[in-house]
Amino acid sequence: MKRKLLPVLIILLIPVLNSCEEDNDNHSDLTVTDYDGNTYKTIQIGDQIWMAENLKTTHYSDGTIIQLVEDESDWKNLKYSDKAMCTYDNSEVNREIYGALYTWEAAMRGSYSSETNPSGVQGVCPDGWHLPSDDEWKEVEMYLGMSQTEADRYNFRGTNEGSQLAGDSSLWNEGILVNDVEFGSSGFMALPAGYRNANSGRFYQLQELGTFWCATESGDTLSITRLLNPHWIQVHRFTYSKKSGNSVRCIKD
């Protein structure tokens, strides 16, 4: 009688084992594709699923093209309401490695600022994904160890959450960010794509800074932004001109 029960017990246990495997899945095998056909890796951190690569699309999800602005003077003369994108040094090679740089209005696609979690702002992201709000950035930072009090501050905050969020040491300039023992441990793979200055239209600090938009503004001309620097292991939270060119990371709805 016991011999007959054993196969039955094994069969009954299979759904339980599968359930455990699903609970431990970090969605690292999930990908998302934009309108241009670019496919991005993803990573689950806590309850959130993020793109594990910088966005590089030249179109919105419905096929509408995003204005490409290459000339320095043209970028400098953009209005705060202009939707524009570029690649560092206007290089296609840089776009493939580091993604594109977008103005805040381009990232938002004209949506109103959002302070909610989730933001509800699809913006430049593919269908089923959205631009993270300031609170959604705080959520991933706190999951990695930052306190609520620290997350609410500006400037560099926390312990080594910046090192945990960064990735690919070969692309970062040498510094304590890369040398931290938990560098790249989150799987987020933030890259140092640099940025485009709003006032000069010039590109700055490729391999030195990673700057990322939030869907949360700070007045008519500024948005809250996240920044990683190789000389710090923390995450910098600050406000920056909406006309600057920054990287975008999307988060799943």
Side-chain angles (χ1 to χ4, degrees):
M1 196 65 185
K2 290 181 180 178
R3 291 175 184 171
K4 294 180 180 179
L5 280 174
L6 185 56
V8 176
L9 289 173
I10 291 172
I11 292 170
L12 291 174
L13 281 170
I14 288 172
V16 176
L17 293 172
N18 288 341
S19 176
C20 291
E21 289 174 0
E22 290 171 3
D23 289 343
N24 292 329
D25 185 8
N26 67 0
H27 293 267
S28 59
D29 58 343
L30 173 70
T31 60
V32 56
T33 302
D34 64 27
Y35 182 87
D36 292 347
N38 301 304
T39 299
Y40 305 87
K41 298 175 183 176
T42 69
I43 186 70
Q44 180 166 353
I45 306 175
D47 294 329
Q48 298 172 317
I49 300 176
W50 291 81
M51 283 185 175
E53 302 179 59
N54 291 349
L55 192 71
K56 61 183 73 171
T57 187
T58 61
H59 294 79
Y60 291 111
S61 63
D62 64 358
T64 301
I65 194 166
I66 306 168
Q67 178 187 197
L68 175 64
V69 178
E70 296 185 331
D71 185 76
E72 284 185 7
S73 61
D74 289 342
W75 190 279
K76 177 181 177 180
N77 292 325
L78 289 172
K79 299 176 183 178
Y80 288 104
S81 58
D82 285 337
K83 304 175 185 68
M85 66 163 291
C86 61
T87 58
Y88 196 99
D89 281 344
N90 301 317
S91 164
E92 185 63 21
V93 172
N94 284 335
R95 188 175 77 91
E96 287 303 312
I97 298 172
Y98 299 99
L101 302 173
Y102 303 87
T103 63
W104 189 74
E105 282 294 336
M108 295 287 288
R109 201 183 183 182
S111 296
Y112 290 112
S113 170
S114 172
E115 298 180 3
T116 62
N117 182 356
S119 73
V121 176
Q122 179 178 353
V124 71
C125 297
D127 291 336
W129 294 73
H130 63 273
L131 191 69
S133 66
D134 183 41
D135 277 354
E136 288 179 280
W137 276 100
K138 288 179 184 179
E139 181 176 333
V140 68
E141 291 166 337
M142 289 189 291
Y143 181 82
L144 297 177
M146 195 179 296
S147 70
Q148 181 73 65
T149 300
E150 291 169 322
D152 290 340
R153 293 174 182 159
Y154 286 93
N155 213 319
F156 285 99
R157 315 109 68 229
T159 54
N160 69 342
E161 291 81 13
S163 290
Q164 293 182 62
L165 288 170
D168 199 337
S169 60
S170 68
L171 298 179
W172 287 90
N173 286 347
E174 182 65 22
I176 61 173
L177 180 86
V178 173
N179 294 332
D180 186 84
V181 66
E182 290 192 275
F183 177 83
S185 60
S186 72
F188 188 88
M189 294 292 290
L191 298 181
Y195 69 98
R196 193 165 196 178
N197 185 273
N199 298 319
S200 67
R202 296 176 182 172
F203 298 100
Y204 291 98
Q205 297 183 284
L206 183 72
Q207 296 191 321
E208 186 76 16
L209 298 179
T211 58
F212 301 90
W213 285 126
C214 295
T216 310
E217 67 181 3
S218 180
D220 293 337
T221 62
L222 301 173
S223 169
I224 298 176
T225 312
R226 292 301 191 280
L227 178 148
L228 300 182
N229 183 309
H231 306 297
W232 298 79
I233 60 175
Q234 297 96 342
V235 181
H236 193 273
R237 177 175 178 253
F238 71 117
T239 59
Y240 204 50
S241 171
K242 292 178 179 179
K243 292 202 305 177
S244 63
N246 291 338
S247 300
V248 166
R249 282 296 178 97
C250 300
I251 187 169
K252 198 172 188 304
D253 293 348

